[in-house]
């Protein structure tokens, strides 16, 4: 199976999962209309002032963050490979009155076409479970540079690859990610919104779909943090921040995680700190 076929399989897996994810989100339109936000302080801090900025949100999923970014004053375009995610995102924007443009596309195709058409953005943003879907970091970083305006910035917040070497009980069970090693998940995209137990539903959690099983498998790609940074620097971006966080926002990657204020999850008290999330700001000259 080539890379495109794998990405198309991932499209099917995401399409199958979106309805289950959305079923847990209580009154998200009302929450956003009332000035609520699905964003976490880490990305808000890295993004800085967004007033009147054009912002490209890569892998926007069902659009909660895209609408929240529009609430900070940005003119947002969200793109995602999943048909169902984009349908859901457009519905959300319609219900909130947010003027966000959503396009369904494989980001590799979209970035290439956008650069060819001369489209430019002040900010490009992606977050939480995004790098693992990318089979090619050099093309990804080059594509981002190709649509960034001079003086623009790219912000990424994602789960730390160190977390990927431990099983749920904290046993060091596999190698640190590198080289985009492909991994096939026959169980596909799971119901991580339910698993977060409210950590990803700031507007309120509904029981919604129970026992979701995805009939569509998914292909992941394992990259180390150094490879992500090297790809961005190699595409000509200047790394101005690289933060590592000893907690996750919403993701229960280890058993017995402690809930901290602000929907943060940390390992149990007796576990020495490890980085579980990272954030990057990279700027174009
Ligand atoms: C875990 S979600 C990201 C979470 C998202 N930031 C949010 O706010 O909910 C990963 C997203 O990446 C999308 N995706 C995976 N591969 C992609 C590709 N090649 N091009 C565009 N989107 C892709 C999936 O459809 C999914 O919506």
């Amino acid at each position: 199976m080539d890379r495109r076929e794998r990405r198309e399989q991932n499209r099917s897996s995401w399409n199958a999962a979106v309805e289950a994810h959305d079923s847990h989100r209580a009154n998200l339109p009302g929450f956003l209309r009332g000035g609520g936000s699905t964003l976490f302080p880490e990305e808000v801090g890295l993004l800085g002032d967004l007033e009147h900025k054009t912002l490209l949100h890569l892998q926007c999923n069902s659009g909660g963050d895209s609408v929240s970014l529009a609430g900070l004053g940005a003119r947002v375009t969200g793109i995602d490979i999943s048909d169902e995610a984009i349908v859901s995102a457009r519905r959300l924007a319609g219900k909130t009155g947010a003027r966000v443009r959503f396009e369904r596309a494989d980001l590799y195709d979209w970035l290439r076409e956008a650069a060819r058409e001369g489209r430019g953005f002040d900010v490009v943003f992606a977050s939480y479970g995004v790098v693992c879907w990318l089979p090619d970091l050099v093309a990804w970083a080059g594509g981002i540079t190709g649509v960034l305006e001079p003086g623009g910035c790219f912000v990424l917040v994602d789960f730390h690859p160190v977390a990927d070497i431990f099983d749920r009980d904290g046993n060091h069970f596999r190698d640190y990610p590198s080289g985009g090693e492909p991994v096939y998940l026959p169980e596909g995209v799971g119901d991580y919104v339910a698993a977060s137990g409210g950590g990803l539903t700031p507007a309120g959690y509904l029981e919604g779909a129970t026992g979701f099983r995805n009939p569509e498998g998914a292909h992941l790609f394992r990259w180390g943090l150094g490879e992500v940074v090297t790809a961005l620097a190699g595409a000509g971006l200047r790394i101005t921040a690289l933060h590592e966080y000893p907690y996750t926002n919403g993701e229960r990657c280890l058993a017995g995680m402690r809930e901290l204020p602000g929907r943060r999850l940390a390992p149990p008290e007796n576990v020495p700190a490890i980085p579980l999330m990272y954030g990057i700001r990279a700027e174009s000259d």
Side-chain angles (χ1 to χ4, degrees):
M1 197 180 253
D2 69 17
R3 286 172 168 177
R4 178 171 297 279
E5 287 169 335
R6 287 184 175 152
R7 299 202 300 272
E8 283 299 305
Q9 178 57 40
N10 291 345
R11 175 180 177 183
S12 302
S13 196
W14 277 100
N15 279 344
V18 165
E19 189 180 346
H21 298 165
D22 284 350
S23 75
H24 304 296
R25 298 186 170 113
N27 193 23
L28 185 54
F31 172 75
L32 294 169
R33 254 196 330 266
S37 172
T38 58
L39 299 167
F40 288 92
E42 289 75 16
E43 56 266 24
V44 172
L46 285 165
L47 285 162
D49 181 14
L50 292 179
E51 199 66 50
H52 306 306
K53 301 255 174 79
T54 52
L55 185 149
L56 172 65
H57 185 192
L58 295 174
Q59 299 171 260
C60 64
N61 195 254
S62 294
D65 283 0
S66 316
V67 170
S68 301
L69 291 160
L72 295 177
R75 279 185 283 140
V76 180
T77 300
I79 77 146
D80 199 281
I81 199 169
S82 161
D83 312 67
E84 296 301 325
I86 290 298
V87 167
S88 170
R90 286 184 179 141
R91 195 185 308 126
L92 179 66
K95 287 182 180 170
T96 58
R99 288 177 49 199
V100 180
R101 178 186 176 130
F102 289 105
E103 300 183 31
R104 193 222 68 81
D106 185 324
L107 66 85
Y108 289 103
D109 300 335
W110 194 93
L111 288 169
R112 198 179 318 109
E113 188 59 19
R116 208 181 53 76
E117 291 171 359
R119 291 171 78 171
F121 296 86
D122 301 315
V123 181
V124 180
F125 172 64
S127 67
Y128 301 113
V130 286
V131 170
C132 62
W133 301 103
L134 305 173
D136 183 341
L137 289 189
V138 171
W140 166 74
I144 290 166
T145 310
V147 297
L148 265 183
E149 296 286 3
C153 76
F154 171 59
V155 169
L156 170 69
V157 179
D158 212 340
F159 302 111
H160 203 294
V162 157
D164 200 44
I165 69 177
F166 298 106
D167 66 16
R168 283 190 53 77
D169 296 319
N171 302 305
H172 182 173
F173 82 121
R174 62 175 164 182
D175 292 340
Y176 185 71
S178 77
E181 177 201 349
V183 175
Y184 180 63
L185 284 187
E187 68 274 27
V189 176
D191 192 353
Y192 61 85
V193 182
S196 79
L200 295 174
T201 49
Y205 179 78
L206 292 175
E207 183 170 356
T210 50
F212 171 71
R213 291 175 79 107
N214 196 328
E216 300 286 351
H219 298 274
L220 299 179
F221 305 93
R222 303 183 71 235
W223 298 104
L225 179 55
E227 293 171 319
V228 173
V229 171
T230 300
L232 294 170
L237 297 176
R238 221 165 7 94
I239 311 295
T240 56
L242 169 53
H243 299 308
E244 296 174 288
Y245 310 98
Y247 53 82
T248 73
N249 288 337
E251 162 109 342
R252 287 180 193 274
C253 53
L254 296 167
M257 289 184 86
R258 285 178 294 138
E259 294 187 16
L260 305 178
R263 296 185 285 140
R264 285 182 182 162
L265 295 166
E269 291 280 7
N270 58 341
V271 176
I274 52 166
L276 292 178
M277 226 170 56
Y278 67 92
I280 294 177
R281 181 179 167 99
E283 300 186 1
S284 71
D285 292 322

